[in-house]
Short mmCIF file of all heavy atoms in Angstrom, two decimals:
data_model
loop_
_atom_site.label_atom_id
_atom_site.label_comp_id
_atom_site.label_asym_id
_atom_site.label_seq_id
_atom_site.Cartn_x
_atom_site.Cartn_y
_atom_site.Cartn_z
N PRO M 855 -43.12 18.12 47.56
CA PRO M 855 -43.01 19.17 48.59
C PRO M 855 -43.52 18.62 49.93
O PRO M 855 -44.49 17.85 49.96
CB PRO M 855 -43.94 20.28 48.07
CG PRO M 855 -44.09 20.04 46.60
CD PRO M 855 -43.90 18.57 46.38
N SER M 856 -42.85 19.00 51.00
CA SER M 856 -43.19 18.56 52.37
C SER M 856 -43.04 17.06 52.60
O SER M 856 -43.62 16.50 53.52
CB SER M 856 -44.64 18.96 52.76
OG SER M 856 -44.72 20.36 52.85
N LYS M 859 -37.63 16.00 52.71
CA LYS M 859 -36.27 16.08 52.14
C LYS M 859 -35.36 16.99 52.97
O LYS M 859 -34.25 16.61 53.33
CB LYS M 859 -36.29 16.61 50.70
CG LYS M 859 -37.19 15.87 49.75
CD LYS M 859 -37.18 16.48 48.36
CE LYS M 859 -37.68 17.90 48.28
NZ LYS M 859 -39.11 18.13 48.52
N SER M 860 -35.85 18.21 53.23
CA SER M 860 -35.00 19.20 53.91
C SER M 860 -34.65 18.74 55.31
O SER M 860 -33.52 18.90 55.78
CB SER M 860 -35.70 20.55 54.00
OG SER M 860 -36.10 20.95 52.73
N GLY M 883 -33.49 22.84 48.54
CA GLY M 883 -34.30 23.41 47.47
C GLY M 883 -34.61 24.88 47.66
O GLY M 883 -34.32 25.71 46.79
N ASP M 884 -35.15 25.23 48.81
CA ASP M 884 -35.55 26.61 49.07
C ASP M 884 -34.37 27.57 49.06
O ASP M 884 -34.47 28.68 48.53
CB ASP M 884 -36.23 26.71 50.45
CG ASP M 884 -37.69 26.35 50.35
OD1 ASP M 884 -38.32 26.77 49.36
OD2 ASP M 884 -38.20 25.64 51.24
N ARG M 887 -33.15 28.15 45.58
CA ARG M 887 -34.09 29.04 44.89
C ARG M 887 -33.90 30.51 45.27
O ARG M 887 -34.18 31.40 44.50
CB ARG M 887 -35.53 28.63 45.22
CG ARG M 887 -35.96 27.36 44.52
CD ARG M 887 -36.53 27.70 43.18
NE ARG M 887 -36.89 26.53 42.39
CZ ARG M 887 -37.32 26.63 41.14
NH1 ARG M 887 -37.43 27.79 40.55
NH2 ARG M 887 -37.64 25.55 40.47
N PHE M 896 -41.17 27.94 37.97
CA PHE M 896 -41.38 26.50 38.18
C PHE M 896 -41.85 25.80 36.90
O PHE M 896 -42.48 24.76 36.95
CB PHE M 896 -42.33 26.27 39.36
CG PHE M 896 -41.67 26.54 40.68
CD1 PHE M 896 -41.64 27.82 41.23
CD2 PHE M 896 -41.00 25.51 41.36
CE1 PHE M 896 -41.00 28.07 42.44
CE2 PHE M 896 -40.36 25.76 42.57
CZ PHE M 896 -40.36 27.04 43.11
N ARG M 901 -37.28 24.27 35.99
CA ARG M 901 -37.00 23.25 37.03
C ARG M 901 -35.78 22.44 36.61
O ARG M 901 -34.90 22.16 37.43
CB ARG M 901 -38.20 22.31 37.21
CG ARG M 901 -39.38 22.92 37.95
CD ARG M 901 -40.48 21.87 38.02
NE ARG M 901 -41.77 22.39 38.43
CZ ARG M 901 -42.26 22.34 39.68
NH1 ARG M 901 -41.55 21.82 40.65
NH2 ARG M 901 -43.45 22.80 39.96
N ASN M 904 -32.70 24.44 37.08
CA ASN M 904 -32.40 24.50 38.51
C ASN M 904 -31.64 23.24 38.96
O ASN M 904 -30.62 23.31 39.65
CB ASN M 904 -33.73 24.64 39.27
CG ASN M 904 -33.56 24.73 40.77
OD1 ASN M 904 -32.62 25.35 41.25
ND2 ASN M 904 -34.44 24.09 41.51
N ILE M 905 -32.12 22.08 38.51
CA ILE M 905 -31.49 20.82 38.91
C ILE M 905 -30.10 20.69 38.28
O ILE M 905 -29.15 20.22 38.93
CB ILE M 905 -32.39 19.61 38.52
CG1 ILE M 905 -33.75 19.73 39.22
CG2 ILE M 905 -31.72 18.28 38.86
CD1 ILE M 905 -33.71 19.97 40.70
N PRO M 926 -33.68 19.13 46.46
CA PRO M 926 -34.74 19.77 45.68
C PRO M 926 -35.87 18.78 45.43
O PRO M 926 -35.71 17.59 45.71
CB PRO M 926 -34.03 20.09 44.36
CG PRO M 926 -33.09 18.94 44.19
CD PRO M 926 -32.69 18.47 45.57
N ILE M 927 -36.98 19.23 44.86
CA ILE M 927 -38.04 18.31 44.47
C ILE M 927 -37.53 17.41 43.34
O ILE M 927 -37.70 16.20 43.36
CB ILE M 927 -39.30 19.08 44.01
CG1 ILE M 927 -39.83 19.94 45.15
CG2 ILE M 927 -40.38 18.11 43.53
CD1 ILE M 927 -40.95 20.89 44.75
N ALA M 928 -36.88 18.04 42.35
CA ALA M 928 -36.33 17.33 41.19
C ALA M 928 -37.36 16.35 40.61
O ALA M 928 -37.16 15.13 40.67
CB ALA M 928 -35.03 16.62 41.54
N PRO M 929 -38.44 16.88 40.04
CA PRO M 929 -39.55 15.98 39.65
C PRO M 929 -39.31 15.19 38.37
O PRO M 929 -40.06 14.27 38.10
CB PRO M 929 -40.72 16.95 39.46
CG PRO M 929 -40.10 18.26 39.12
CD PRO M 929 -38.79 18.31 39.84
N LYS M 965 -45.65 24.73 54.47
CA LYS M 965 -45.62 26.14 54.07
C LYS M 965 -46.99 26.65 53.61
O LYS M 965 -47.11 27.75 53.07
CB LYS M 965 -44.61 26.32 52.94
CG LYS M 965 -43.21 25.88 53.34
CD LYS M 965 -42.29 25.89 52.13
CE LYS M 965 -41.10 24.99 52.37
NZ LYS M 965 -40.42 24.61 51.13
N LEU M 967 -48.54 25.68 51.05
CA LEU M 967 -48.59 25.81 49.59
C LEU M 967 -49.58 24.85 48.95
O LEU M 967 -50.18 25.16 47.92
CB LEU M 967 -47.19 25.61 48.99
CG LEU M 967 -46.17 26.70 49.38
CD1 LEU M 967 -44.80 26.41 48.77
CD2 LEU M 967 -46.65 28.08 48.97
N LYS M 977 -50.43 28.10 40.85
CA LYS M 977 -50.58 27.18 39.70
C LYS M 977 -49.30 26.38 39.49
O LYS M 977 -48.20 26.85 39.82
CB LYS M 977 -50.86 27.99 38.43
CG LYS M 977 -52.13 28.80 38.50
CD LYS M 977 -53.24 28.12 37.70
CE LYS M 977 -54.50 28.94 37.64
NZ LYS M 977 -55.44 28.72 38.70
N GLY M 978 -49.44 25.18 38.95
CA GLY M 978 -48.27 24.37 38.59
C GLY M 978 -47.52 23.89 39.82
O GLY M 978 -46.29 23.93 39.86
N PHE M 979 -48.26 23.44 40.85
CA PHE M 979 -47.61 22.99 42.09
C PHE M 979 -47.42 21.47 42.04
O PHE M 979 -48.38 20.73 41.78
CB PHE M 979 -48.46 23.39 43.30
CG PHE M 979 -47.76 23.15 44.61
CD1 PHE M 979 -46.71 23.96 45.02
CD2 PHE M 979 -48.14 22.09 45.44
CE1 PHE M 979 -46.05 23.73 46.23
CE2 PHE M 979 -47.49 21.86 46.64
CZ PHE M 979 -46.44 22.68 47.04
N THR M 980 -46.21 21.02 42.29
CA THR M 980 -45.90 19.60 42.18
C THR M 980 -46.82 18.77 43.06
O THR M 980 -46.98 19.07 44.26
CB THR M 980 -44.43 19.34 42.61
OG1 THR M 980 -43.61 20.25 41.90
CG2 THR M 980 -44.01 17.90 42.32
S1 PPS A 1575 -37.65 21.92 41.58
O1 PPS A 1575 -38.83 21.40 40.83
O2 PPS A 1575 -36.79 20.83 42.04
O3 PPS A 1575 -36.94 22.94 40.83
O4 PPS A 1575 -38.30 22.60 42.87
P1 PPS A 1575 -37.50 23.17 44.14
O5 PPS A 1575 -36.53 24.17 43.68
O6 PPS A 1575 -36.97 22.05 44.96
O7 PPS A 1575 -38.66 23.88 44.92
C1 PPS A 1575 -38.29 24.54 46.11
C2 PPS A 1575 -39.51 24.93 46.94
O8 PPS A 1575 -40.31 25.83 46.20
C3 PPS A 1575 -41.67 25.79 46.72
N1 PPS A 1575 -42.55 25.99 45.57
C4 PPS A 1575 -42.96 25.05 44.69
N2 PPS A 1575 -42.73 23.72 44.60
C5 PPS A 1575 -43.30 23.06 43.58
N3 PPS A 1575 -44.06 23.62 42.65
C6 PPS A 1575 -44.31 24.95 42.68
N4 PPS A 1575 -45.06 25.52 41.73
C7 PPS A 1575 -43.76 25.71 43.74
N5 PPS A 1575 -43.79 27.02 44.06
C8 PPS A 1575 -43.03 27.17 45.19
C9 PPS A 1575 -41.79 24.46 47.42
O9 PPS A 1575 -42.07 24.76 48.76
C10 PPS A 1575 -40.43 23.79 47.29
O10 PPS A 1575 -39.91 23.33 48.53
P2 PPS A 1575 -40.08 21.93 49.28
O11 PPS A 1575 -38.88 21.87 50.16
O12 PPS A 1575 -40.08 20.81 48.27
O13 PPS A 1575 -41.36 22.03 50.02
#
Side-chain angles (χ1 to χ4, degrees):
S856 294
K859 306 179 298 292
S860 306
D884 276 320
R887 286 272 176 185
F896 286 87
R901 286 179 193 262
N904 180 38
I905 300 309
I927 299 172
K965 302 172 201 161
L967 295 179
K977 298 258 185 270
F979 189 72
T980 309

